[in-house]
Amino acid sequence: MNTVELIARKRDGGELDEAELEWLVGGYLAAVARADDRPVVSEGQMAALLMAGVLRGFTDAEARALTRVLVRSGDTLDLSVLPGPTIDKHSTGGVGDATTLLVAPLLASAGAQLVKLSGRGLGHTGGTLDKLESVPGLRTELSGEEILRIVGDVGCVVAAQSDRLVPGDRAIYALRDLTATVASAALIASSVMSKKLAGGADTIVLDVKAGDGAFMPTVEAADALARLCVSIGVDAGRRCSALVTDMDQPLGRAAGNALEIREVVEALSAPPAGRLAGLALDLAAQALALARDRDVEVVRADLHQGWTSGDALDRLRRMILAQGGDPAVCDRPADVLPSAPVVRSVEAPGDGTISVVPARAVGEIAAALGAGRQRKGDPIDPTVGVVVHVEVGDLVRAGQPIATVHARSEGDADAAAKRLAAAVQIGTEPVPPRSTVLRRVGTVRDTGASCARAEDPSAA
Amino acid sequence: MNTVELIARKRDGGELDEAELEWLVGGYLAAVARADDRPVVSEGQMAALLMAGVLRGFTDAEARALTRVLVRSGDTLDLSVLPGPTIDKHSTGGVGDATTLLVAPLLASAGAQLVKLSGRGLGHTGGTLDKLESVPGLRTELSGEEILRIVGDVGCVVAAQSDRLVPGDRAIYALRDLTATVASAALIASSVMSKKLAGGADTIVLDVKAGDGAFMPTVEAADALARLCVSIGVDAGRRCSALVTDMDQPLGRAAGNALEIREVVEALSAPPAGRLAGLALDLAAQALALARDRDVEVVRADLHQGWTSGDALDRLRRMILAQGGDPAVCDRPADVLPSAPVVRSVEAPGDGTISVVPARAVGEIAAALGAGRQRKGDPIDPTVGVVVHVEVGDLVRAGQPIATVHARSEGDADAAAKRLAAAVQIGTEPVPPRSTVLRRVGTVRDTGASCARAEDPSAA
């Protein structure tokens, strides 16, 4: 094959087949590994191909083929030793989105096994590994044997993705990030789904974010991405569904690593309430109903029972212990978690109704405080971040605290408080509350009939 | 500046200013030189930018700014010590196109100075340096001092472009070649014109090829490229014009390095005749009329006189001698030039009129024989190639020789003869002869009024 001719074909709007994509990905991986002088596919050639694909579009067939190529580029996890059902969950990334740390123990409490291989945060979005590592002692770099032992014992485990899993995706994602070629549904779908397929779970549930704080700004774009991901999963023989959810405002109240762990523990210590808890229950119920061919309402009742009985919190405690963390975080989070030296309250400047809590701005303010990283490999501070006490539609009075800033210094706190006060909008008109779930793709209906099967991947 | 943001802007159809282009080119040159781990502009980032530009388009303002940036990336040649007029000539590359080796001594014989910094052939197109180096002993790697001394003594010199001249163009061109991003008028124009501006001549004449054997397949595309190049030259304060010429069939009869030198010597040894000689006279006349503010017809008569008097051939002889080559090539080319061991004639299969002599195929056949290179740095054989004895519109009889193959082996000769016989088309209908010059951009009119000035760069 001739690399330049393949790039030229994509540049001119043509299609690449699976063998050609395998040549390109394999050649690029070899180039990354060897730093060859005349590589078969150089960094520049892969970047040109990616940009041509972003501007000319990749077909769904190319996205499916690329996913298979990426899966084959490395090891896969074999979960067949587990009794099952094995479930995986993925979010496309948002602000105040700690759902994984609720969904994992909830599914474990219902008897399923969730193995979640996760990434770190970048830019304004948080990463599950970063959040979890704010628990003193906790390790996320686990071997394959440790992962299987912990999920077998506890029912859930959240670990760092090994370098040997989908190395093709790792290499290409790093290049996309540097070359302004992230924004392609086919590239995002193949990246997400290759990781999920390599992760080995039978059932995959996706949370595709839409809005200001998401990669997909519109519901339509998020819906198209969700459909493509679900079709790739079903094509690979997995049970797969997706929710398209709102990321115009942060999902939870906290944005910051230890702050989000505290929110998770506090949520599991009380009856489910609020947007974060609601979405976690919805995602867990969809996954479980799909995995077990059961009514959503029936499994939702089981999950609710696991939550209120304290079993879900206990699963989280046992998972944290098994991963080397201090389990007392589930009882006394404020004592166990590290905290920031400066805490500053932000008050409403006047009476009114909250009209905008911009997710991206809140995420960026938290990241600027030190909770996130601008570039891969940057250090982060687990203690800092923002807690927003209000959501869109809430009535507030002048002087009422609407947010709390946790910062390393008075200067940082001042700057963050100023930015938050400017970002959160208060209007005089009433604002109807928004629903969190905007679309459902391939989900199991509440009527009891399950409908997400290979025959009908896009049933809603 | 943020490289990813600049790439994203071009991806989204925006425009880059001169400072931004300077950041990108400078950053990429530093990356090429240092092999930095975290370069400011990596190979992948430059490739993504180029592909975004090819698909979204660069504006004329970007082409002008990029040209200036490329010129500033390295040294420039100062020709102000020469009495002048100093002239440079460029062809966008074709098959059987040895015009430079006719234009250079013709202009020298008319008292002008031509300093031609040239490149090597790639793919199906030949390179002037490769042709010239088939003369035993001849050197093209000359120092700046040698170049000025030779042009001062002889009136013309053809040398390899130094690594210190437009290194930005050199680096970007190598990347474009590998990433299917050659086909952009703005990138081609800035590459061509940065080299011409750095070369230092007051007057620049361009030969923009259109057709099957050219980078620009249509007259319209070639015309647009010619206009952009001329506008860049005029913008930089140079006298500049362009001819758009036919490259559907080879220009000269020979395609192959020593074979083309022989054709040049034989052409200068007789009164001017044929398409190659006609275009060389036209290009030289345009350049000289523009440089001297003179009537085209007057300077054409001078050039014709230099040709028929033998002065032009003598200038070529002196240039070859000054560059270390054997000057006897101008008297006994067949004896001095190296020759191929196998010579094979190709005959017309039937009576008729030549309807197609496909330039690209002829160039590819010559390259396959060893006259050209597929990749930069490949070795070439000076002796091999093809001589086509007919052109479109010629009447032929069955058995009449239409081409001669010069090859290293019987097998090579067989293969080339078979391909040539299939490529040259003979029809039964008469075919009107085509003109070589298809459009004129910014040229001096034959009425005597010169019109290519900064005020009116596109006058025809």
Side-chain angles (χ1 to χ4, degrees):
Chain A
M1 292 195 204
N2 181 306
T3 304
V4 179
E5 284 171 16
L6 298 180
I7 301 168
R9 195 193 310 155
K10 181 45 68 186
R11 177 198 67 199
D12 298 339
E15 193 172 27
L16 300 172
D17 68 22
E18 188 158 345
E20 290 162 343
L21 290 166
E22 185 123 43
W23 161 274
L24 291 164
V25 171
Y28 178 52
L29 268 178
V32 169
R34 286 203 310 262
D36 197 335
D37 247 16
R38 271 194 173 190
V40 166
V41 181
S42 69
E43 178 192 316
Q45 290 178 318
M46 180 53 77
L49 177 81
L50 292 169
M51 183 58 85
V54 165
L55 289 176
R56 289 293 199 175
F58 288 105
T59 64
D60 288 1
E62 284 176 321
R64 277 193 290 275
L66 180 58
T67 305
R68 290 190 290 265
V69 166
L70 294 175
V71 170
R72 285 199 298 272
S73 74
D75 294 350
T76 55
L77 219 58
D78 179 5
L79 303 185
S80 63
V81 295
L82 298 172
T86 54
I87 298 174
D88 200 351
K89 176 257 169 193
H90 186 85
S91 155
T92 59
V95 178
D97 176 17
T99 46
T100 291
L101 299 174
L102 292 169
V103 170
L106 273 172
L107 285 171
S109 81
Q113 289 100 50
L114 185 130
V115 176
K116 172 79 173 101
L117 302 178
S118 206
R120 297 185 185 277
L122 195 64
H124 70 282
T125 65
T128 302
L129 295 186
D130 295 327
K131 296 171 192 175
L132 211 41
E133 286 175 353
S134 68
V135 177
L138 190 138
R139 288 184 307 117
T140 57
E141 305 280 343
L142 305 176
S143 69
E145 294 74 39
E146 285 178 304
I147 287 170
L148 287 177
R149 184 176 52 71
I150 295 171
V151 71
D153 287 353
V154 181
C156 58
V157 63
V158 178
Q161 184 187 307
S162 128
D163 281 355
R164 292 199 304 274
L165 226 72
V166 288
D169 174 64
R170 188 177 297 256
I172 290 171
Y173 191 85
L175 186 59
R176 285 168 60 208
D177 194 41
L178 289 172
T179 54
T181 53
V182 170
S184 149
L187 293 177
I188 295 172
S190 60
S191 174
V192 166
M193 294 309 295
S194 64
K195 284 180 280 203
K196 295 298 103 181
L197 298 180
D202 304 323
T203 301
I204 299 162
V205 64
L206 303 167
D207 178 8
V208 179
K209 306 289 190 187
D212 160 63
F215 281 116
M216 294 288 152
T218 66
V219 177
E220 289 66 35
D223 186 70
L225 174 60
R227 285 176 190 279
L228 181 54
C229 286
V230 167
S231 87
I232 291 171
V234 171
D235 189 62
R238 311 296 172 94
R239 297 177 180 217
C240 189
S241 68
L243 303 182
V244 175
T245 68
D246 174 53
M247 192 36 72
D248 270 342
Q249 65 177 325
L251 180 63
R253 305 212 156 191
N257 297 291
L259 296 170
E260 291 185 54
I261 293 293
R262 183 168 172 176
E263 183 176 21
V264 162
V265 167
E266 288 174 354
L268 286 174
S269 306
R275 302 167 75 235
L276 174 64
L279 180 57
L281 265 174
D282 204 340
L283 286 165
Q286 284 298 337
L288 199 58
L290 198 58
R292 290 220 166 115
D293 286 328
R294 295 271 297 282
D295 248 36
V296 173
E297 284 316 308
V298 173
V299 300
R300 193 191 299 275
D302 290 350
L303 292 163
H304 200 273
Q305 166 62 18
W307 186 309
T308 53
S309 70
D311 188 55
L313 181 60
D314 192 49
R315 298 280 176 166
L316 182 64
R317 187 184 287 111
R318 288 166 59 196
M319 184 187 94
I320 286 170
L321 178 63
Q323 296 191 216
D326 183 350
V329 73
C330 291
D331 306 301
R332 295 171 284 107
D335 295 347
V336 172
L337 290 166
S339 59
V342 179
V343 178
R344 174 78 49 85
S345 185
V346 179
E347 278 121 35
D351 296 357
T353 305
I354 300 292
S355 58
V356 176
V357 183
R360 179 174 294 266
V362 170
E364 285 171 351
I365 292 166
L369 284 164
R373 48 178 74 80
Q374 297 310 318
R375 293 184 76 151
K376 210 181 148 184
D378 286 350
I380 58 157
D381 184 333
T383 68
V384 297
V386 169
V387 180
V388 181
H389 308 299
V390 291
E391 58 188 69
V392 171
D394 285 357
L395 291 171
V396 292
R397 295 217 157 260
Q400 174 185 334
I402 56 169
T404 308
V405 171
H406 298 250
R408 278 185 292 223
S409 69
E410 296 287 345
D412 282 3
D414 285 347
K418 215 169 275 174
R419 287 178 70 185
L420 266 175
V424 175
Q425 306 282 310
I426 301 174
T428 50
E429 300 293 309
V431 181
R434 300 189 204 173
S435 65
T436 306
V437 177
L438 305 171
R439 299 273 176 93
R440 294 171 183 270
V441 177
T443 58
V444 178
R445 281 172 298 186
D446 289 358
T447 57
S450 84
C451 60
R453 289 297 174 277
E455 310 85 73
D456 186 12
S458 64
Chain B
M1 292 193 204
N2 181 306
T3 303
V4 179
E5 284 171 17
L6 298 181
I7 300 168
R9 194 194 309 157
K10 182 44 69 185
R11 178 197 67 201
D12 299 337
E15 193 173 27
L16 301 171
D17 69 22
E18 188 158 345
E20 290 162 343
L21 290 166
E22 185 122 44
W23 161 273
L24 291 164
V25 171
Y28 178 53
L29 268 179
V32 169
R34 286 203 310 261
D36 198 334
D37 248 13
R38 272 194 171 189
V40 166
V41 181
S42 70
E43 178 192 317
Q45 290 178 317
M46 180 52 77
L49 177 81
L50 292 169
M51 182 59 84
V54 165
L55 289 175
R56 289 294 200 175
F58 288 104
T59 64
D60 289 0
E62 284 176 319
R64 277 193 290 275
L66 179 57
T67 305
R68 289 190 290 266
V69 167
L70 294 175
V71 170
R72 285 199 300 269
S73 74
D75 294 350
T76 54
L77 217 59
D78 179 5
L79 303 185
S80 63
V81 293
L82 298 171
T86 54
I87 297 175
D88 200 351
K89 176 259 172 193
H90 186 84
S91 156
T92 59
V95 178
D97 177 19
T99 45
T100 292
L101 298 176
L102 292 168
V103 170
L106 273 173
L107 286 172
S109 80
Q113 288 100 50
L114 184 130
V115 176
K116 172 78 173 101
L117 302 178
S118 205
R120 296 186 185 278
L122 195 63
H124 70 280
T125 64
T128 302
L129 295 187
D130 296 326
K131 295 171 193 175
L132 212 41
E133 286 174 354
S134 67
V135 177
L138 189 139
R139 289 184 306 118
T140 58
E141 305 281 341
L142 305 175
S143 69
E145 294 73 40
E146 284 178 303
I147 288 171
L148 288 178
R149 184 177 51 75
I150 295 170
V151 70
D153 287 351
V154 181
C156 58
V157 63
V158 178
Q161 186 187 306
S162 129
D163 282 356
R164 294 199 303 275
L165 224 73
V166 288
D169 174 64
R170 185 177 299 255
I172 290 171
Y173 191 85
L175 185 59
R176 285 168 60 207
D177 194 40
L178 290 172
T179 55
T181 52
V182 170
S184 149
L187 293 177
I188 295 172
S190 60
S191 173
V192 165
M193 294 308 295
S194 64
K195 284 180 280 203
K196 295 297 105 182
L197 297 180
D202 304 324
T203 300
I204 298 163
V205 63
L206 303 167
D207 178 6
V208 179
K209 306 290 189 187
D212 161 64
F215 282 114
M216 294 289 153
T218 66
V219 177
E220 289 64 35
D223 186 71
L225 174 60
R227 285 177 190 279
L228 182 54
C229 287
V230 168
S231 87
I232 291 170
V234 171
D235 190 62
R238 310 296 172 94
R239 297 177 179 215
C240 189
S241 68
L243 302 183
V244 175
T245 68
D246 175 52
M247 192 36 71
D248 270 341
Q249 64 177 326
L251 180 62
R253 304 210 156 191
N257 297 291
L259 297 170
E260 292 186 53
I261 293 293
R262 184 167 170 177
E263 184 177 19
V264 163
V265 168
E266 289 174 353
L268 286 175
S269 305
R275 301 167 75 237
L276 175 64
L279 180 57
L281 267 174
D282 203 341
L283 286 165
Q286 285 299 335
L288 199 58
L290 198 58
R292 290 220 167 116
D293 287 328
R294 295 272 297 281
D295 248 37
V296 173
E297 286 314 309
V298 173
V299 298
R300 192 191 299 275
D302 290 349
L303 292 164
H304 200 275
Q305 165 65 16
W307 187 309
T308 52
S309 71
D311 188 55
L313 180 61
D314 191 53
R315 297 282 174 166
L316 181 64
R317 187 185 288 112
R318 287 165 59 194
M319 185 188 93
I320 287 171
L321 178 65
Q323 296 192 217
D326 182 350
V329 72
C330 292
D331 307 301
R332 295 171 286 108
D335 297 344
V336 172
L337 290 166
S339 59
V342 180
V343 178
R344 175 77 47 86
S345 185
V346 179
E347 277 121 33
D351 295 356
T353 306
I354 300 290
S355 58
V356 177
V357 183
R360 180 174 295 265
V362 170
E364 285 170 352
I365 292 166
L369 283 164
R373 47 178 76 80
Q374 298 309 317
R375 293 185 75 152
K376 210 182 151 186
D378 287 349
I380 58 158
D381 184 333
T383 69
V384 298
V386 169
V387 180
V388 181
H389 308 298
V390 292
E391 58 188 68
V392 171
D394 284 358
L395 291 171
V396 292
R397 293 217 159 262
Q400 173 185 336
I402 55 170
T404 308
V405 171
H406 297 251
R408 278 184 293 222
S409 69
E410 297 288 342
D412 282 5
D414 286 348
K418 214 169 276 174
R419 288 178 69 184
L420 265 175
V424 175
Q425 306 281 311
I426 302 176
T428 51
E429 300 292 308
V431 182
R434 299 190 205 171
S435 65
T436 307
V437 177
L438 306 171
R439 300 272 177 93
R440 294 171 183 269
V441 176
T443 59
V444 178
R445 281 173 297 187
D446 289 356
T447 57
S450 85
C451 60
R453 290 295 175 279
E455 310 86 75
D456 186 11
S458 63

